Amino acid sequence: MRKLFSVICLFAFFNPTFAQENSGRQLCGLTGENMKGIRQQVKENILMLKKQGKLQFRQQDIDIARQTALLEPQAPISIRFIWPLRPKNAEDYRYYHIGNYTDLDSTGNACVRDYNGGRRTYDGHQGIDIGVGPYSWARKKAGDVHVVAAAAGIIVERHDGEFDGNCDWDNITGTTNRGNHVVILHADDSTVTFYMHLKTNSVTSKQVGDQVQAGEYLGAVASSGRSTGPHLHFQVNTSWSDPDDDKGTFVEPFSGSFNYTSSVSLWSNQKPYNEPGIYAMETHLGSMDYYTANCDSSVNLNSLHNSFQPNQVVNMRTHLLDWVDGSQVSFGLLRPDGSAVGTVAGLTNTCSYLTPVCGNNSVGVACRLFLLTGSYTLPSDAQQGTWTYWVNFNNNITHHYFTVDCLATQSFSGTQGGHRGYIVSNTITSTASISSNSNNDITYKADNYVLLSPGFVATQGCTFTANTRGCVNGN
Ligand SMILES: [Zn+2]
């Protein structure tokens, strides 16, 4: 069995205190060996559908596949994929991270190698594991990360009803290793994609033989089958044209120098190997709750708070993804009038990543998940209104807002610009204009309602968000 080791990254920039954070890298037991049963089922279903004359792809999908084959004849398949996950609701931050790629090490021993020459995989893994976060079990419970078809096709296998809270490697619950899943055969009549570990009773009501479009809902991310935490196992197999003879071989869709299965990217828009970003920015009242929920236990995050009083301590925490060599991070606080707080104390960070299984891990070393924390004691005369907690990670600035003496109402007119947020406990009314500038990023949050009256304009290029989670409900 593989083991996870936590390793601490040292950042010269900070004077850190270290604490262990869970790695966020879920284990998935779907090796080629463990996929045998489902491949057999897929084979039988394809043969059955062919016999019944039900494998009729849409002509436009067949045409796209033919066109792709002409454009990139060196590719192993003529299907291109969109990202197989989509958040159910609008998200302020990143909602996923890639835990494992396919294992492209062919030496036959216990070594591993991903498409980039790194070791973000495990021995015999034939798919891509995409984790969700930063609170994976809370997301699993909410079912708020949806799995979607990566390309158009026909469902050739589906299964639902299995327990979806597996976390104990030695005690997997369910009638199969594979959990709840959907498998799609695509319009080249050769490529199949597998979507594994889905949430109980979340699987699409469509049945084997039904058509799906690219981006169509298939289920929600969970931890059914051989899995130790919520993630999607997405797998691409090819050579199913004549499944009686060939049960399919796996293909790694990411293009990179160590991918011997494909010389081109099979994504319509390939994501980078390292994708630095922010999972969440938070403020806490009192000592911060750490998310220690393993398995499907309830999540205790009672310290999360967006509304403060003078003299209280504001504890700040940001969950960062993919720290690589050369990354830079800084943060600070702005008062409601825009002035900066001079010193924010108590910085801590934590970092975990997978230690190489063997060999020299010189490629792709990164801290996958780590925390940046700080605290600030509000003075007795702290300014009333909305404060801004900002983090600059590799020149991308992200903001989180909290209030001091939550205002009841606020109204705006004229021009608003820059990165600004407003939180009130009752209503926000606005006739303001936000011009077409990507630096203009304005957020309105009110407990009761946000009223945009005639005259309000938000032009293309700006970012405007309004919601009704204000300083009381948003705590
Ligand atoms: Zn997997």
Side-chain angles (χ1 to χ4, degrees):
M1 195 212 290
R2 296 158 308 283
K3 286 186 173 148
L4 287 177
F5 299 89
S6 290
V7 178
I8 290 159
C9 283
L10 292 168
F11 308 136
F13 183 71
F14 299 134
N15 187 18
T17 321
F18 296 109
Q20 173 113 10
E21 165 76 345
N22 78 42
S23 74
R25 186 177 187 273
Q26 279 79 33
L27 292 180
C28 164
L30 295 182
T31 57
E33 188 61 27
N34 284 328
M35 290 291 279
K36 267 187 179 169
I38 192 174
R39 288 179 7 176
Q40 179 64 25
Q41 190 61 53
V42 169
K43 169 192 158 180
E44 286 171 16
N45 289 351
I46 289 177
L47 289 172
M48 176 195 74
L49 290 169
K50 284 200 171 184
K51 212 169 159 184
Q52 296 172 345
K54 285 185 177 171
L55 277 182
Q56 304 294 328
F57 297 101
R58 294 189 315 167
Q59 190 58 45
Q60 65 194 86
D61 296 328
I62 294 170
D63 291 345
I64 292 170
R66 284 184 181 148
Q67 216 167 19
T68 306
L70 287 173
L71 285 169
E72 293 183 313
Q74 73 277 35
I77 60 173
S78 55
I79 304 299
R80 296 295 174 268
F81 302 111
I82 61 169
W83 193 238
L85 293 181
R86 186 168 57 218
K88 183 181 174 189
N89 307 309
E91 299 271 342
D92 290 336
Y93 310 106
R94 185 88 57 80
Y95 63 93
Y96 68 88
H97 71 277
I98 298 175
N100 299 299
Y101 295 101
T102 61
D103 179 18
L104 296 163
D105 175 71
S106 52
T107 60
N109 58 30
C111 291
V112 298
R113 175 184 278 167
D114 64 36
Y115 78 92
N116 198 40
R119 296 176 189 279
R120 211 189 319 177
T121 178
Y122 67 82
D123 200 28
H125 193 231
Q126 298 190 345
I128 298 162
D129 291 338
I130 312 170
V132 296
Y135 304 117
S136 58
W137 287 105
R139 283 204 176 273
K140 176 252 156 189
K141 278 186 179 176
D144 64 0
V145 179
H146 288 175
V147 174
V148 301
I154 293 171
I155 294 175
V156 291
E157 162 66 354
R158 75 186 288 285
H159 184 72
D160 201 349
E162 301 287 345
F163 175 71
D164 64 9
N166 280 320
C167 63
D168 179 356
W169 198 250
D170 298 318
N171 189 22
I172 298 295
T173 302
T175 61
T176 73
N177 280 331
R178 308 179 297 274
N180 308 312
H181 57 260
V182 175
V183 184
I184 297 173
L185 177 67
H186 298 287
D188 61 352
D189 193 28
S190 172
T191 302
V192 296
T193 46
F194 298 80
Y195 308 82
M196 312 295 290
H197 308 304
L198 305 180
K199 185 172 169 65
T200 313
N201 298 327
S202 79
V203 174
T204 173
S205 59
K206 288 200 172 176
Q207 300 295 315
V208 168
D210 286 347
Q211 303 265 354
V212 290
Q213 314 272 349
E216 185 169 328
Y217 174 88
L218 299 179
V221 171
S223 189
S224 58
R226 281 190 71 79
S227 166
T228 62
H231 73 283
L232 171 69
H233 173 100
F234 173 71
Q235 179 167 341
V236 181
N237 276 44
T238 186
S239 305
W240 290 79
S241 310
D242 187 0
D244 216 6
D245 296 330
D246 192 340
K247 299 184 192 71
T249 51
F250 83 94
V251 178
E252 165 62 81
F254 281 87
S255 104
S257 26
F258 292 87
N259 185 358
Y260 65 81
T261 68
S262 179
S263 57
V264 302
S265 174
L266 305 178
W267 297 105
S268 55
N269 185 14
Q270 177 167 319
K271 292 181 182 299
Y273 183 71
N274 290 308
E275 203 178 7
I278 284 179
Y279 240 165
M281 289 182 72
E282 303 161 344
T283 43
H284 297 249
L285 180 62
S287 61
M288 281 187 276
D289 287 326
Y290 280 81
Y291 182 69
T292 54
N294 286 316
C295 307
D296 213 356
S297 56
S298 52
V299 179
N300 178 13
L301 284 170
N302 296 327
S303 65
L304 280 174
H305 226 67
N306 288 333
S307 182
F308 296 84
Q309 299 295 318
N311 300 313
Q312 285 182 331
V313 177
V314 181
N315 284 310
M316 292 159 274
R317 182 164 77 194
T318 295
H319 303 246
L320 294 151
L321 290 163
D322 282 7
W323 176 284
V324 294
D325 286 350
S327 289
Q328 292 191 325
V329 69
S330 57
F331 77 106
L333 275 182
L334 302 177
R335 301 183 185 90
D337 68 3
S339 62
V341 171
T343 308
V344 181
L347 199 57
T348 305
N349 62 54
T350 305
C351 168
S352 305
Y353 62 85
L354 187 76
T355 300
V357 174
C358 52
N360 176 16
N361 187 10
S362 59
V363 181
V365 172
C367 303
R368 295 293 161 214
L369 302 175
F370 64 105
L371 299 177
L372 175 70
T373 63
S375 69
Y376 177 67
T377 304
L378 293 161
S380 56
D381 60 348
Q383 281 182 26
Q384 192 184 47
T386 305
W387 293 54
T388 304
Y389 162 40
W390 60 264
V391 166
N392 184 341
F393 187 32
N394 294 334
N395 292 320
N396 287 317
I397 303 177
T398 312
H399 299 77
H400 172 85
Y401 304 104
F402 64 92
T403 64
V404 173
D405 289 336
C406 185
L407 300 177
T409 58
Q410 211 154 19
S411 61
F412 299 100
S413 59
T415 305
Q416 285 187 270
H419 284 276
R420 302 297 295 273
Y422 304 94
I423 310 183
V424 304
S425 65
N426 191 22
T427 60
I428 293 177
T429 57
S430 178
T431 57
S433 58
I434 306 164
S435 61
S436 54
N437 181 336
S438 59
N439 290 323
N440 287 341
D441 181 2
I442 309 286
T443 301
Y444 292 172
K445 289 184 183 180
D447 279 326
N448 197 349
Y449 61 85
V450 173
L451 180 65
L452 305 176
S453 300
F456 175 86
V457 180
T459 320
Q460 190 176 19
C462 71
T463 303
F464 173 74
T465 313
N467 67 41
T468 48
R469 283 178 60 221
C471 44
V472 177
N473 292 332
N475 279 349

